[in-house]
Structures are given as C-alpha cells and as structure tokens.
Amino acid sequence: MNTFKKIALLTAALIATLPLSAKPKIRIIATGGTIAGISTTSASSAYTAGQVGIQTLLDAVPQILDLADVTGEQLVNIGSQDMNDEVWLKLAKRVNQILNEEDYDGVVITHGTDTMEETAYFLNLTVKSDKPVILAGSMRPSNAIGADGPANLYNAVAAAISPACKGLGVLCCMNNQLLDAKTVIKTHTIDCDTFEGGPSGIIGYIFNGQAHILQTPNNKHTEDSVFDVSHLDKLPKVGIVYGYANASPLPMKAFVDAHFDGIVLAGVGDGNFYKDVFDVAVKAQKQGIQIVRSSRCPTGPTCLNSEVDDSKHHFVASLDLNPQKARVLLMLALTKTHDWEEIQKFFMEY
Ligand code: GLU
C-alpha cells in the first residue's frame, strides 16, 4: 500500500471514531411561567401560567436543534409567584449535578418572570460551575399572537452554547438582552420590554444566534461563592417589611413573634424606617433577628451608616441589592454566620 492510500485509510478510521454530532450539549430545566402559559381568550392578558410541558416548548422552536444537542426535563410547572425555598434548593442541586456530573455544556431554565430575578440571584450564589446558566421566560403566553417565548428560548440556548457567556455567573435572557443576576430587575407588569440591568445596564445581547458581551459582572458569584446548599433541605426564614408613611409596626412584630431568622426592610429613601417600625427593629436585632435595611426606591444604593447608625444597632445595609435580592443573600448568609459584620461583608462582596 502506498503512503497516500495509508494516510487516506488512517483519516477515514479517525473520522469514524469521532462523535456524530460535535454540537454542545444543553439541558433545559422547565419550571413553568408564562412561557408555558395558555391563553384562554383572544386577549393574551387572560391566561394561566405553567400549563404546557417542556416537550411542547421545545417543539415550538425546532431551530434550537441547529444550535445544540438540546434535551429537557420538567422540575415543576408553576407560576413563579409560587416559587419557594424548596424549589430553589432542588433547582440549585440539579443544576450542579447537570454541569458537574452529567457532562452538559450549559443549562437553560425556563421560568416565570415575576420572581425570575430572585431565582437567578439565588443560583448565582449557589451554582458551582463557570458554565453558562441562562434563565428565560416570556411575557406573553405560548399561544398568544406575537408570543415572545420561542425567541427568548432560542436566544437563551444561543447564550448557553457561547464561550463568551462562560464565567459571567447566572444570566437572564429576555427580549434579546442578557442581564446579570445581581442587577436584573423586572420593571413593567405587562410589557415585553420589562427587564433592565440597573445602573450598569445590560451584560450583552443576542443577535442572529450569537451572544455579544459588552461588560462582565464585578461581584463574586458561582465558583467564587462561599455558599453551598448541597447538604441543606431548608433555608433560614427571612421576611420583607414594606416601608411607607405612618407605617404599622404589625408586620415586623408578626415576623418577630413567628421567630423569623432575619427581616429585610424595604425602607423609604435610603432604607429609612417609620419610627414605630424602627423601635421593633432595634428590639428584634437585640433578640438575634438580623435586620437588613434596603429601599423601596427602584434605583440607588442603601448606604451603611448614613441616616441610620447601623454600627450602633448592628443593622446591615443592603447596598446595591433590592429588598427581594437582599432577602436571598441574607438567607444564604445566615447559613454561614450570625455576626452582623460578617454579613455586611457578604453584602459588600456579592
Ligand atoms: N405570574 C406568572 C409567573 O411569574 C406569569 C408571569 C410571567 O411568567 O411572565 O410565572
């Protein structure tokens, strides 16, 4: 056999040993939400979330099979107003298993938009992998005119296969944009253009099935996070109290009486309390219930030791976190320590 023939045979043998598809492997975890919702009338605002299963979602976007080897599983099928600690723990454990034990290149999670930002932030602190984890949902149900779910799902898979999305922490993919788990907020009750990235803006965008990254998050997340939920089956109890003029102290008292581990104040302005609520908060902190001050203002930080003497009362300032995300971090922080200064450090880092 001449040399040319030998090389040709060797090449053919080598090609035969290669896997048939060199496409990235992506796992979709479906949790419900409007993306799986069904409209019962011609008006897309009248519908029930979490109705169709993962296979129906995948069948609606066959184009994603051009991007990746995509398979799916149904974790729960709920409207995300019903998201809870139990599902979060299950989800974090499952994502870690998929990325670290099952050889997938990325995970896409379909989710209702109402609490998507909280789930994204919880996973940002508890997933132990630099592989992309992308949350996607929709504002219109799956059978509405102009449903946004299929494009959001396609874009999320495009992000999940992109090397540029590695190491960025958990991202949300909505309306062609990629948003950081820490800063993303739902800003509009019904509009498709509802998610914003806070003062620092979006992380990037998807165009023609390609992820374009504009900036990287500068807080600690995923592999650099100290929080580990692998052995937990419940989380500390943390509630949120809303601030307003002439506020009643009763909600704060109710959390204290129910022995919550922590309370986040969605305060007025720079995380300020109404005086009656403040008195209950001081007592609660003395009893070992950690108070975190945050703000009902949509933008701006809640600053440490500005109008409120946090050092004196051992309150923690939420800094850039809104109340719902401050709650997530406080729950995880309380799995590590009850020292308010250590908890404040977590709020500076994460
Ligand atoms: N409330 C439902 C949910 O969060 C529907 C809202 C949505 O998905 O956009 O799942």
mmCIF file of all heavy atoms in Angstrom, residues 7 16 21 26 58 84 124 139 148 158 162 171 182-183 205 218 251 265 267 283 286 289 306 321:
data_model
loop_
_atom_site.group_PDB
_atom_site.id
_atom_site.type_symbol
_atom_site.label_atom_id
_atom_site.label_comp_id
_atom_site.label_asym_id
_atom_site.label_seq_id
_atom_site.Cartn_x
_atom_site.Cartn_y
_atom_site.Cartn_z
ATOM 1 N N ILE A 7 -2.480 7.049 4.355
ATOM 2 C CA ILE A 7 -2.974 8.273 5.024
ATOM 3 C C ILE A 7 -4.491 8.365 4.876
ATOM 4 O O ILE A 7 -5.217 8.670 5.829
ATOM 5 C CB ILE A 7 -2.281 9.537 4.449
ATOM 6 C CG1 ILE A 7 -0.806 9.533 4.870
ATOM 7 C CG2 ILE A 7 -2.963 10.826 4.933
ATOM 8 C CD1 ILE A 7 0.032 10.614 4.238
ATOM 9 N N ALA A 16 -14.230 7.994 11.635
ATOM 10 C CA ALA A 16 -15.244 7.050 12.130
ATOM 11 C C ALA A 16 -15.309 7.039 13.651
ATOM 12 O O ALA A 16 -16.344 6.723 14.230
ATOM 13 C CB ALA A 16 -14.930 5.650 11.599
ATOM 14 N N SER A 21 -22.198 14.041 16.323
ATOM 15 C CA SER A 21 -22.515 15.451 16.459
ATOM 16 C C SER A 21 -21.505 16.082 17.398
ATOM 17 O O SER A 21 -21.307 15.626 18.509
ATOM 18 C CB SER A 21 -23.927 15.596 17.019
ATOM 19 O OG SER A 21 -23.995 16.728 17.829
ATOM 20 N N ILE A 26 -26.821 20.876 25.734
ATOM 21 C CA ILE A 26 -27.516 21.816 26.619
ATOM 22 C C ILE A 26 -28.730 21.124 27.240
ATOM 23 O O ILE A 26 -29.491 20.446 26.555
ATOM 24 C CB ILE A 26 -27.988 23.069 25.827
ATOM 25 C CG1 ILE A 26 -26.789 23.790 25.187
ATOM 26 C CG2 ILE A 26 -28.808 24.005 26.725
ATOM 27 C CD1 ILE A 26 -25.757 24.344 26.139
ATOM 28 N N LEU A 58 -40.114 22.849 23.459
ATOM 29 C CA LEU A 58 -39.035 22.514 22.524
ATOM 30 C C LEU A 58 -39.572 22.351 21.104
ATOM 31 O O LEU A 58 -38.955 22.819 20.143
ATOM 32 C CB LEU A 58 -38.345 21.217 22.966
ATOM 33 C CG LEU A 58 -37.479 21.330 24.221
ATOM 34 C CD1 LEU A 58 -36.956 19.959 24.639
ATOM 35 C CD2 LEU A 58 -36.315 22.271 23.983
ATOM 36 N N ASN A 84 -40.562 28.892 45.630
ATOM 37 C CA ASN A 84 -40.252 28.870 47.068
ATOM 38 C C ASN A 84 -38.870 28.264 47.342
ATOM 39 O O ASN A 84 -38.190 27.801 46.415
ATOM 40 C CB ASN A 84 -41.348 28.141 47.854
ATOM 41 C CG ASN A 84 -41.534 26.713 47.381
ATOM 42 O OD1 ASN A 84 -40.577 26.055 46.955
ATOM 43 N ND2 ASN A 84 -42.758 26.213 47.450
ATOM 44 N N ASN A 124 -27.001 32.254 41.233
ATOM 45 C CA ASN A 124 -25.711 32.934 41.065
ATOM 46 C C ASN A 124 -24.808 32.701 42.273
ATOM 47 O O ASN A 124 -23.587 32.704 42.165
ATOM 48 C CB ASN A 124 -25.986 34.442 40.916
ATOM 49 C CG ASN A 124 -24.914 35.165 40.132
ATOM 50 O OD1 ASN A 124 -24.348 34.616 39.189
ATOM 51 N ND2 ASN A 124 -24.626 36.397 40.507
ATOM 52 N N MET A 139 -43.324 37.141 28.386
ATOM 53 C CA MET A 139 -44.382 37.983 28.933
ATOM 54 C C MET A 139 -45.726 37.623 28.314
ATOM 55 O O MET A 139 -46.771 37.999 28.815
ATOM 56 C CB MET A 139 -44.060 39.457 28.703
ATOM 57 C CG MET A 139 -42.876 39.955 29.530
ATOM 58 S SD MET A 139 -43.146 39.824 31.307
ATOM 59 C CE MET A 139 -44.299 41.165 31.560
ATOM 60 N N ASP A 148 -43.555 35.827 22.804
ATOM 61 C CA ASP A 148 -42.115 36.113 22.857
ATOM 62 C C ASP A 148 -41.300 34.936 23.384
ATOM 63 O O ASP A 148 -40.065 34.963 23.346
ATOM 64 C CB ASP A 148 -41.850 37.376 23.688
ATOM 65 C CG ASP A 148 -42.509 37.345 25.079
ATOM 66 O OD1 ASP A 148 -43.530 36.650 25.239
ATOM 67 O OD2 ASP A 148 -41.997 38.020 25.984
ATOM 68 N N ALA A 158 -28.705 29.973 22.566
ATOM 69 C CA ALA A 158 -27.546 30.603 21.898
ATOM 70 C C ALA A 158 -26.558 31.123 22.939
ATOM 71 O O ALA A 158 -25.333 31.012 22.770
ATOM 72 C CB ALA A 158 -28.014 31.739 20.992
ATOM 73 N N SER A 162 -22.485 29.686 24.117
ATOM 74 C CA SER A 162 -21.452 30.663 23.762
ATOM 75 C C SER A 162 -20.290 30.654 24.764
ATOM 76 O O SER A 162 -20.490 30.857 25.958
ATOM 77 C CB SER A 162 -22.063 32.064 23.726
ATOM 78 O OG SER A 162 -21.037 33.021 23.634
ATOM 79 N N LEU A 171 -27.207 34.311 34.116
ATOM 80 C CA LEU A 171 -27.744 35.433 33.331
ATOM 81 C C LEU A 171 -29.216 35.186 33.018
ATOM 82 O O LEU A 171 -29.659 34.036 32.936
ATOM 83 C CB LEU A 171 -26.984 35.569 32.002
ATOM 84 C CG LEU A 171 -25.475 35.821 32.080
ATOM 85 C CD1 LEU A 171 -24.867 35.787 30.677
ATOM 86 C CD2 LEU A 171 -25.169 37.154 32.750
ATOM 87 N N LYS A 182 -27.397 39.697 39.509
ATOM 88 C CA LYS A 182 -27.410 40.606 40.652
ATOM 89 C C LYS A 182 -28.210 41.878 40.357
ATOM 90 O O LYS A 182 -28.939 42.379 41.210
ATOM 91 C CB LYS A 182 -25.974 40.987 41.057
ATOM 92 C CG LYS A 182 -25.966 42.016 42.179
ATOM 93 C CD LYS A 182 -24.625 42.232 42.811
ATOM 94 C CE LYS A 182 -24.762 43.266 43.934
ATOM 95 N NZ LYS A 182 -23.552 43.420 44.713
ATOM 96 N N THR A 183 -28.086 42.396 39.161
ATOM 97 C CA THR A 183 -28.665 43.720 38.894
ATOM 98 C C THR A 183 -30.011 43.670 38.172
ATOM 99 O O THR A 183 -30.730 44.674 38.154
ATOM 100 C CB THR A 183 -27.693 44.573 38.058
ATOM 101 O OG1 THR A 183 -27.399 43.865 36.858
ATOM 102 C CG2 THR A 183 -26.422 44.872 38.820
ATOM 103 N N TYR A 205 -26.060 41.176 24.462
ATOM 104 C CA TYR A 205 -27.293 40.929 23.716
ATOM 105 C C TYR A 205 -27.073 39.763 22.757
ATOM 106 O O TYR A 205 -25.928 39.344 22.507
ATOM 107 C CB TYR A 205 -27.737 42.196 22.968
ATOM 108 C CG TYR A 205 -26.735 42.709 21.965
ATOM 109 C CD1 TYR A 205 -26.792 42.321 20.627
ATOM 110 C CD2 TYR A 205 -25.695 43.552 22.356
ATOM 111 C CE1 TYR A 205 -25.853 42.769 19.717
ATOM 112 C CE2 TYR A 205 -24.758 44.011 21.457
ATOM 113 C CZ TYR A 205 -24.839 43.616 20.127
ATOM 114 O OH TYR A 205 -23.903 44.047 19.232
ATOM 115 N N ASN A 218 -19.060 42.537 38.210
ATOM 116 C CA ASN A 218 -17.852 42.680 39.040
ATOM 117 C C ASN A 218 -18.039 42.201 40.479
ATOM 118 O O ASN A 218 -17.190 42.450 41.320
ATOM 119 C CB ASN A 218 -17.312 44.125 38.996
ATOM 120 C CG ASN A 218 -18.374 45.115 39.418
ATOM 121 O OD1 ASN A 218 -19.411 44.702 39.955
ATOM 122 N ND2 ASN A 218 -18.146 46.404 39.194
ATOM 123 N N PRO A 251 -46.525 44.145 60.810
ATOM 124 C CA PRO A 251 -45.844 43.091 60.029
ATOM 125 C C PRO A 251 -44.476 42.733 60.632
ATOM 126 O O PRO A 251 -44.136 41.551 60.732
ATOM 127 C CB PRO A 251 -45.704 43.713 58.639
ATOM 128 C CG PRO A 251 -46.806 44.718 58.556
ATOM 129 C CD PRO A 251 -46.932 45.270 59.949
ATOM 130 N N LEU A 265 -35.914 45.220 55.513
ATOM 131 C CA LEU A 265 -36.809 46.375 55.418
ATOM 132 C C LEU A 265 -36.735 46.932 54.002
ATOM 133 O O LEU A 265 -35.651 47.257 53.513
ATOM 134 C CB LEU A 265 -36.360 47.461 56.417
ATOM 135 C CG LEU A 265 -37.153 48.767 56.297
ATOM 136 C CD1 LEU A 265 -38.511 48.649 56.954
ATOM 137 C CD2 LEU A 265 -36.376 49.948 56.877
ATOM 138 N N GLY A 267 -37.282 49.866 52.947
ATOM 139 C CA GLY A 267 -37.488 51.155 53.601
ATOM 140 C C GLY A 267 -37.779 52.287 52.629
ATOM 141 O O GLY A 267 -37.705 52.128 51.413
ATOM 142 N N LYS A 283 -35.368 46.189 68.777
ATOM 143 C CA LYS A 283 -35.602 45.081 69.732
ATOM 144 C C LYS A 283 -35.331 43.735 69.053
ATOM 145 O O LYS A 283 -34.740 42.834 69.657
ATOM 146 C CB LYS A 283 -37.057 45.114 70.217
ATOM 147 C CG LYS A 283 -37.257 46.110 71.345
ATOM 148 C CD LYS A 283 -38.650 45.945 71.959
ATOM 149 C CE LYS A 283 -39.063 47.242 72.640
ATOM 150 N NZ LYS A 283 -40.457 47.602 72.431
ATOM 151 N N LYS A 286 -31.706 42.965 68.827
ATOM 152 C CA LYS A 286 -31.165 42.583 70.147
ATOM 153 C C LYS A 286 -31.514 41.133 70.478
ATOM 154 O O LYS A 286 -30.791 40.463 71.197
ATOM 155 C CB LYS A 286 -31.709 43.520 71.231
ATOM 156 C CG LYS A 286 -30.981 44.855 71.203
ATOM 157 C CD LYS A 286 -31.301 45.709 72.428
ATOM 158 C CE LYS A 286 -30.536 47.018 72.364
ATOM 159 N NZ LYS A 286 -31.345 48.173 72.735
ATOM 160 N N ILE A 289 -32.450 38.557 65.770
ATOM 161 C CA ILE A 289 -33.049 38.505 64.428
ATOM 162 C C ILE A 289 -32.348 39.561 63.585
ATOM 163 O O ILE A 289 -32.415 40.759 63.898
ATOM 164 C CB ILE A 289 -34.576 38.782 64.500
ATOM 165 C CG1 ILE A 289 -35.247 37.720 65.370
ATOM 166 C CG2 ILE A 289 -35.177 38.840 63.103
ATOM 167 C CD1 ILE A 289 -36.711 37.998 65.670
ATOM 168 N N SER A 306 -25.501 55.908 57.093
ATOM 169 C CA SER A 306 -25.761 57.273 56.606
ATOM 170 C C SER A 306 -26.782 57.908 57.539
ATOM 171 O O SER A 306 -26.431 58.449 58.585
ATOM 172 C CB SER A 306 -26.176 57.282 55.142
ATOM 173 O OG SER A 306 -27.267 56.425 54.931
ATOM 174 N N LEU A 321 -28.353 45.911 46.636
ATOM 175 C CA LEU A 321 -29.394 44.885 46.469
ATOM 176 C C LEU A 321 -30.778 45.428 46.814
ATOM 177 O O LEU A 321 -30.967 46.053 47.864
ATOM 178 C CB LEU A 321 -29.103 43.677 47.359
ATOM 179 C CG LEU A 321 -27.912 42.805 46.953
ATOM 180 C CD1 LEU A 321 -27.767 41.642 47.921
ATOM 181 C CD2 LEU A 321 -28.057 42.288 45.526
#
